[in-house]
Amino acid sequence: MDPIVTCPYDVTHRIHKSVLPYHLVRCRKNHPLEKVQCPFDAFHVVDKEYLEV
C-alpha cells in the first residue's frame, strides 16, 4: 500500500509517495519563487525565509 502525501509546493496536489520525486521536478517549475529545495535532501522543500544559505 503506497501512502498518499501532499505536495509541498501546492497543498491541493495529493499524490502517491512513490511518484513524489517525479512530481516535485514538474511542480518546482510551476512554482519557482515560493519554495526552495534543501541542499542536503532533495525531498525537503521549505519556504525561502527558513533556509539560511
Side-chain angles (χ1 to χ4, degrees):
M1 191 76 188
D2 197 12
I4 295 179
V5 295
T6 304
C7 173
Y9 290 103
D10 190 350
V11 294
T12 61
H13 295 167
R14 306 270 300 159
I15 53 175
H16 289 281
K17 191 174 182 178
S18 61
V19 296
L20 182 64
Y22 306 107
H23 175 81
L24 287 178
V25 169
R26 206 175 63 217
C27 206
R28 188 178 300 129
K29 292 178 184 177
N30 295 333
H31 306 280
L33 301 177
E34 297 172 8
K35 309 255 183 187
V36 292
Q37 179 180 346
C38 176
F40 303 108
D41 185 1
F43 299 121
H44 191 201
V45 179
V46 296
D47 292 325
K48 278 187 176 182
E49 59 265 7
Y50 293 119
L51 186 65
E52 295 180 22
V53 178

